[in-house]
Amino acid sequence: MKYQALLKDTAAELAQHKLRTFLTLLGMIFGVGAVIAMLNIGEGAEREALKTIETMGLRNLIVEGKTFDEKTLLEQRKHSLGLTQSDMQTAVSTLPGITGFSAERSLDTYALLSHHAKSDAKAIGVSASYMELSNLAFAAGRNFTEQEDLYAAQVAVLGSQLAQTLFPEGNALGQPVKVNHVWLKVIGVLASRDQDQQEFQGIKLGGEQNQLFLPLNTATSRFRSLPLGAELSGFRLQLEDSEQTAMTARALDFLLKQRHKDIDDYQLVVPAALLAQQKQTQQIFNIVMSCVAGISLLVGGIGIMNIMLATVLERTKEIGLLRAVGATKRDIRLQFVAESFAIAIAGGILGILFGIILSELIAFYSEWAVSWSIPAIVLSFSICALIGIAFGVYPAIKASELDPITALQTD
């Protein structure tokens, strides 16, 4: 009964000064809302980035050829032929723990069309194992086989987006497509996935949904090479254990530097290292944004203390009367801490709603990903409640220490 009366008194006191209570709540609402919104957006960005990296294969090492102008290429070709199948085969036979590999060769695509439409997408010749190493699934049809690659079969696999462009009616399987001057038969269509980014941290990747894939030997034997072009535009190696990626990457880089005479004409991408770097970067971002948003909570706590100190001055005679009829110092402290805590709890609840709305608005207008973080909501609400108690203690002590006789005589 004592605590029920305390709650009723607290509610009545806060309701008596609605505008002042609401203005005090704003600091906590904005603080909690800002923490939740920033952490939710950060969580969403982290998950999107991690999904993108994971699609590259955490056990993979990816080597990509760099592009240069004709003058630079002419000078480089005196010392290095660029990426070659010999580079890949030497790496496979030299480095330990390699369980799979795939070569890639981008074509100079000036025409890509079907009987229904045309596209400005690119065609790329790949080994049969490319789809598996790139974590690409099929929505329809199949992948080309090693036998089809060996005999340069004129077959193709389309990305989901490209299939919709070239065949709006959805009947791509078995249909012919023309790449430059060569007709190919569609034998498979890739399944679409949530993200298909073209670039991440300055590294080109993805884009498979708007590409055409054909066997590597078909690309080599039936299409002309670019002047001064390398034999391969890239290749990837799959390791037995993701824990070996850092050490194997250093060995692969050393091997390629030796073969390319220290010519910087390739880029080595290590998805596992990108994953570790992204997690560390996101952790720092979350800490910084939480600290910035936490300042709003601190300001809100100062606002609570300010209002509670003003309330002590306003209710001095009431405090004296309560002491005169038997209220203890503990009762007075409990009353003021309860009011401060109630403001913080109300601000925390409204702040959660504000944070959810703010997250959705930011996601809608900026098209950023948002992922709900339950720990962020619990953390911000808990800090809000603790601030309500902490900043209410001093005014409560000040009120309880008032001399009853002096308080009663106060006008």
Side-chain angles (χ1 to χ4, degrees):
M1 292 298 295
K2 179 179 179 181
Y3 289 106
Q4 289 180 359
L6 179 63
L7 291 175
K8 289 181 180 179
D9 291 343
T10 299
E13 180 61 33
L14 297 179
Q16 188 176 353
H17 305 282
K18 295 182 179 63
L19 180 59
R20 186 170 68 183
T21 301
F22 175 72
L23 293 176
T24 308
L25 284 173
L26 286 180
M28 309 308 293
I29 292 172
F30 290 148
V32 173
V35 171
I36 291 175
M38 291 302 100
L39 291 182
N40 284 345
I41 292 172
E43 181 78 11
E46 180 181 11
R47 291 191 181 184
E48 287 298 309
L50 296 185
K51 270 198 290 185
T52 301
I53 295 172
E54 287 171 356
T55 59
M56 301 165 68
L58 294 180
R59 293 190 292 129
N60 289 348
L61 296 178
I62 303 172
V63 182
E64 298 177 342
K66 293 183 178 180
T67 56
F68 301 94
D69 57 72
E70 186 176 349
K71 183 179 179 181
T72 304
L73 270 177
L74 185 61
E75 184 64 29
Q76 287 183 347
R77 289 298 175 259
K78 297 177 182 178
H79 309 282
S80 170
L81 297 177
L83 293 176
T84 64
Q85 294 219 40
S86 178
D87 288 334
M88 182 181 68
Q89 294 296 340
T90 301
V92 171
S93 60
T94 303
L95 302 177
I98 295 178
T99 59
F101 57 91
S102 171
E104 309 163 27
R105 182 186 177 191
S106 297
L107 300 180
D108 181 22
T109 312
Y110 56 81
L112 200 164
L113 51 90
S114 68
H115 292 308
H116 306 279
K118 62 181 180 179
S119 172
D120 58 356
K122 297 296 182 182
I124 176 173
V126 296
S127 304
S129 56
Y130 177 87
M131 308 302 174
E132 180 182 356
L133 267 62
S134 300
N135 298 315
L136 296 174
F138 281 80
R142 63 176 178 84
N143 189 19
F144 50 82
T145 64
E146 293 184 1
Q147 195 76 2
E148 288 172 322
D149 185 10
L150 179 63
Y151 289 104
Q154 293 181 216
V155 294
V157 172
L158 303 182
S160 59
Q161 183 179 341
L162 180 58
Q164 292 175 3
T165 301
L166 296 180
F167 303 96
E169 297 179 0
N171 55 343
L173 289 183
Q175 298 296 320
V177 294
K178 188 177 184 181
V179 179
N180 296 350
H181 61 285
V182 179
W183 285 96
L184 306 171
K185 179 182 177 182
V186 177
I187 62 170
V189 176
L190 296 177
S192 60
R193 54 190 184 190
D194 294 338
Q195 80 291 333
D196 191 36
Q197 292 180 261
Q198 296 289 334
E199 189 170 316
F200 178 75
Q201 293 186 356
I203 299 170
K204 292 182 179 179
L205 54 93
E208 293 92 353
Q209 305 308 317
N210 195 36
Q211 285 181 346
L212 179 146
F213 299 93
L214 62 155
L216 180 63
N217 282 331
T218 306
T220 303
S221 61
R222 301 186 185 274
F223 293 85
R224 290 188 298 269
S225 301
L226 290 172
L228 303 176
E231 183 181 359
L232 298 179
S233 58
F235 64 86
R236 58 186 64 199
L237 308 175
Q238 187 178 69
L239 305 182
E240 185 178 3
D241 186 359
S242 60
E243 298 294 329
Q244 301 174 346
T245 53
M247 180 178 63
T248 308
R250 289 193 295 269
L252 176 60
D253 189 39
F254 178 80
L255 175 65
L256 291 177
K257 282 182 178 178
Q258 295 295 313
R259 292 180 60 83
H260 290 229
K261 309 299 182 184
D262 285 328
I263 299 297
D264 186 22
D265 56 358
Y266 66 89
Q267 180 180 25
L268 179 58
V269 181
V270 186
L274 288 179
L275 179 64
Q277 180 184 355
Q278 174 63 26
K279 286 184 176 181
Q280 183 180 11
T281 302
Q282 193 62 46
Q283 184 178 17
I284 295 172
F285 172 82
N286 287 340
I287 292 173
V288 172
M289 295 310 299
S290 298
C291 290
V292 172
I295 293 175
S296 297
L297 284 174
L298 183 61
V299 172
I302 294 173
I304 290 177
M305 179 180 287
N306 184 44
I307 290 300
M308 295 309 297
L309 287 173
T311 302
V312 171
L313 295 177
E314 290 179 359
R315 298 165 61 186
T316 300
K317 183 171 289 189
E318 176 189 338
I319 295 170
L321 182 60
L322 289 172
R323 292 296 308 281
V325 296
T328 63
K329 290 184 178 182
R330 181 178 179 276
D331 294 330
I332 301 298
R333 287 196 298 268
L334 192 59
Q335 177 66 44
F336 278 85
V337 170
E339 292 178 14
S340 173
F341 183 67
I343 292 174
I345 292 297
I349 295 173
L350 294 176
I352 292 174
L353 297 176
F354 175 68
I356 293 174
I357 295 173
L358 183 61
S359 299
E360 291 294 337
L361 288 175
I362 293 175
F364 178 77
Y365 285 106
S366 65
E367 297 184 354
W368 292 351
V370 171
S371 180
W372 299 111
S373 175
I374 300 301
I377 295 176
V378 174
L379 176 65
S380 58
F381 184 80
S382 301
I383 292 176
C384 181
L386 289 175
I387 285 178
I389 295 175
F391 282 84
V393 168
Y394 176 72
I397 293 175
K398 189 174 179 64
S400 66
E401 294 300 326
L402 289 176
D403 181 76
I405 296 175
T406 305
L408 286 171
Q409 294 174 347
T410 302
D411 293 331

